[in-house]
Structure formats: structure tokens, C-alpha cells
Amino acid sequence: MSKTIAIVGGGPSGLISAICFARRGIATTVYEALDCPLKAATYNPNRSYAIDISGHGLNAIDYIGAVDRFNKAMIQFDGVKLEDKVVTPWNEPGWIGSRGDIVSVLVNLVNEKYSDLITIHYQHRVTGVNVHQGRLEFEATNDDGTTEQHSQVFDCIIAADGGGSVLRAQATQQEPNYQLTKKDVGYHCKMITMDTNTDGLDPRYLQVLSPKGFCVAGAINGPEGPQDPLWFCFVPYPDDKRFDSLEDVRTHFAERCPKLLQYTSDKELSEFAQRPSQNIGRVTQSSQLYAGKVIFLGDAAISYPPIGQGINGAMESSMILDQCLGRAGFDTEGAVIDDQMLQQMAKMYNDRWHPETMAVSWLGMKNVMAKPWHKVRALAMEALNMNVLHDTKRSDIAYSEVYHRAKKQGPFWIL
Ligand SMILES: Cc1cc2nc3c(=O)[nH]c(=O)nc-3n(C[C@H](O)[C@H](O)[C@H](O)COP(=O)(O)OP(=O)(O)OC[C@H]3O[C@@H](n4cnc5c(N)ncnc54)[C@H](O)[C@@H]3O)c2cc1C
């Protein structure tokens, strides 16, 4: 008898984990609160940040044998430009796109190759968990909009339900060894759609349009895919920021990032003025990465301010969990998955990944581009060729190694 495994969340970490289990012949059931991303729009202008998949994400994509698929379906990533100069060249396989672009590639892979072993239940929102019994409570929404409550018991539950994880919140009430530390470092962002003159921009690069304003432009797939990119720019603020009028926004960007005005119509500037900002400064660290039968992956394991590593780290966490299953005995010939193996997998994963989560979260808290001192430090380090943050993108360097390198730079990192 195989063990029953549920995965809560059909985002990048949940889907990669399901694919890893399927590649070992192990069936999983995925519960996703939203509808299938292949049905819905691939982008939401309020949240369309361009994500680069670089080293850590590449490790995971390569691990599941999906490099060719990503090459076909996404924009190639060649690096980061600062005012038209390439500051971080990227020479390995890598891609740029929205979270939706990335999830769509993974869902297509599941549908085409692993549908016999991966069952995805869309519009199934998990509302509760008993971490020791392995019981999930969930609400299923039917096509006619009615809802039904269900519960089911599993041998193992993978929590991949993102930064607002319901399972994480409930685990703290049920498992004394599982504790959360939370803070808010004051980091908000607003996205602006770049809808004019973008033909001259090269979509293979993330582009820091002005060092002073730290406005980062990037492309995602358009309706026709990677050949038809749509452009957005990430603008950071220390708190929620609205503008009273179009004129206010124009004045703001004229000072902060004049280049952005070349790429935005009045319509988009007006929408930007009223657009709510997203709080991206919430940090949640956990004392360990499992509680009872639940194992935490991706943003559910750790949430931190974005430094281009959210999805990359999330996908790598799924790969590490799978490697731990192998080391816990599954790779031994004739091995059958049992409770002891699942427990060993959870402990090994915790030992291996927890230090990485603490390291990447420290780096995120030290690179809040809404804080003037953090911006000055980043620019000074760039000028001195000492910017260790570039190394977070590398496939061959762990986040903990980058953290130790930063720590060796001593006083630079006090604030
Ligand atoms: C403004 C911004 C900029 C960012 N920029 C970058 C970047 O440049 N590079 C980068 O790598 N990352 C970036 N990130 C972070 C990145 O989007 C996340 O780290 C990544 O999506 C985490 O993947 P995940 O699979 O762990 O969680 P998610 O992507 O959050 O997926 C979780 C899934 O679980 C589902 N879910 C949630 N609750 C439930 C429930 N109760 N029941 C069932 N399903 C549920 C959700 O619908 C979702 O599909 C950015 C994030 C933000 C907000």
C-alpha cells in the first residue's frame, strides 16, 4: 500500500513537489483554492511582476527535466541591466515571466505527463488541518457557485499554500515545537503597466530604470506568448502610496525615474495613482519546517521581502524535499514508502533547508529598496564590485554561503 499524500497549493512549489513524487511513481492529490490558471487571464496588472528564474529555480527545473519546456514557453533571461548597462549577465538557461506564466508551464507538464499520478482539485480551499492526525478540512466550490465542506485524512501533507499559509497558522496552535516569528519591515510596492514605446526594450533583461528610484522593469508573456511581451515596472515605497491626480504622479516620476514616463500613457499613470500597493515587507520565519504530518515548502515555509528569490527558493525547496526522500531510503532498491521514511524525509529536509530559509530571509531584510540606506548600500557595493547579492542567483552557491560572505563584509551590513 502506498502512502496517501496531499499537497495544499497548486503554485510553483506545490506543483514541482507533485511532479517530483510522480517521477518516483508516487501519487499525490493537490488542493488549489483558485481556478485552473490555464482558464484564467495570465496576468493581473496589479500583481504582474516579472520574475527571473535563475540558479536555484534552474536547479529545480533541470531536476524535473523541464528545461526544454521552459525554453519554449517563456522569455529567455540574459541578466539585469542598470541604466542600459548589463550588471548581472546570466549565461545559463534562465527565463523571465509572471508567476502565472511559470505555473502554466508546470500545469501543462502535469496534464501531459503525470495526470495518472497527480490529481489537482481546483476551487478547493483548505480551511483547517489536524497536523497530528493528518486530517484536512476543505471547502469545494461547484461550477454553479455552491460550496461543500469535506474532510480527508492523509499520511503526509505538503503545505505549499504560500505566504498567507492557513496550515502554518494552525500548526502553531497544535505543535509546540513549531513556532513563528513575524515582523513587518515596511516595504510596499506598486506595479505600473508600461504601454508605450516598449518595442525598443529587450525583454531578456530585467531593467533597473533609475538607480535612485529603484524602479525595475520586466517583461512577461503576452497573449501570443514570449514573442509578444507585456511590460510592467515595480516601484517600491515604504508604505501604502496613493496619488491625488495624474499631475502628482507625473511630478513624482519626473523626479524619481524620468525614463519611466517614456513608457507609460496617461491612462496607465492614472490607474497607477489609484492602485493599492502590496505589502511585500512581511517576514515570517518558523522554528522548524514540519509539524506533525505537515511539511512546509516555498513561501509557506518562509516569507521574506523579495530579492528575486521567492519562486527560485520555493522551487528549490521542493527539489530538496525530494532528494531527502531519496536519502531517507526511497532510492534503495525495493524500498516501499512508509511512515518512518516520511518522518525521516521531513527531518532531513528541515536540517538541510531551514538554514537556507534563515539566510535568504536575512538577505531579504537587508535589501529593502524602500529604505534609503539599503539603496545606498546596494549602489555602493555595485560600484565597488562587492555586491554579494548577485551570488543569490547562482545555481552552485547556497543562500547560506551568500549570507556568510555578506557577514564577512562586516560593518556594511549593520543597518
Ligand atoms: C511584488 C512581488 C514581487 C515578487 N518578485 C519576485 C521575483 O522577482 N522573483 C521571485 O523569485 N519571486 C518573486 N516574488 C515571490 C514569488 O511570487 C513567491 O515567492 C512564489 O510565488 C512562492 O511560490 P509558492 O508556490 O510557495 O507559493 P504561491 O505562489 O503563493 O502559491 C500558493 C498557492 O496556494 C494556493 N492557496 C493558498 N491558500 C490556499 C488554501 N487555503 N487552500 C488551497 N490552496 C491555497 C494559492 O491560490 C496559490 O496558488 C514576488 C512576490 C511579490 C508579491
Side-chain angles (χ1 to χ4, degrees), residues 7-15 31-34 46-47 49-53 99 103 124-127 138 159-167 189 191 206 234 278-280 297-302 304 306-315 317 393:
I7 297 178
V8 183
S13 59
L15 291 173
Y31 295 104
E32 167 55 52
L34 303 178
N46 294 341
R47 302 182 70 98
Y49 43 92
I51 293 173
D52 61 281
I53 301 185
R99 177 188 172 281
V103 173
H124 279 57
R125 179 175 295 280
V126 169
T127 52
F138 49 90
D161 53 340
S165 175
V166 166
L167 279 78
C189 84
M191 303 305 298
L206 279 181
F234 165 101
Q278 289 182 63
N279 186 346
I280 54 172
L297 289 185
D299 277 13
I302 178 89
Y304 53 91
I307 44 165
Q309 291 307 312
I311 281 195
N312 285 287
M315 295 198 292
S317 70
K393 289 204 186 299

Side-chain angles (χ1 to χ4, degrees), residues 211-214 256 369 371-380:
K212 186 174 145 217
F214 200 78
R256 180 174 182 163
M369 291 309 164
K371 290 192 180 176
W373 165 240
H374 289 198
K375 246 188 294 190
V376 169
R377 172 170 54 216
L379 292 172

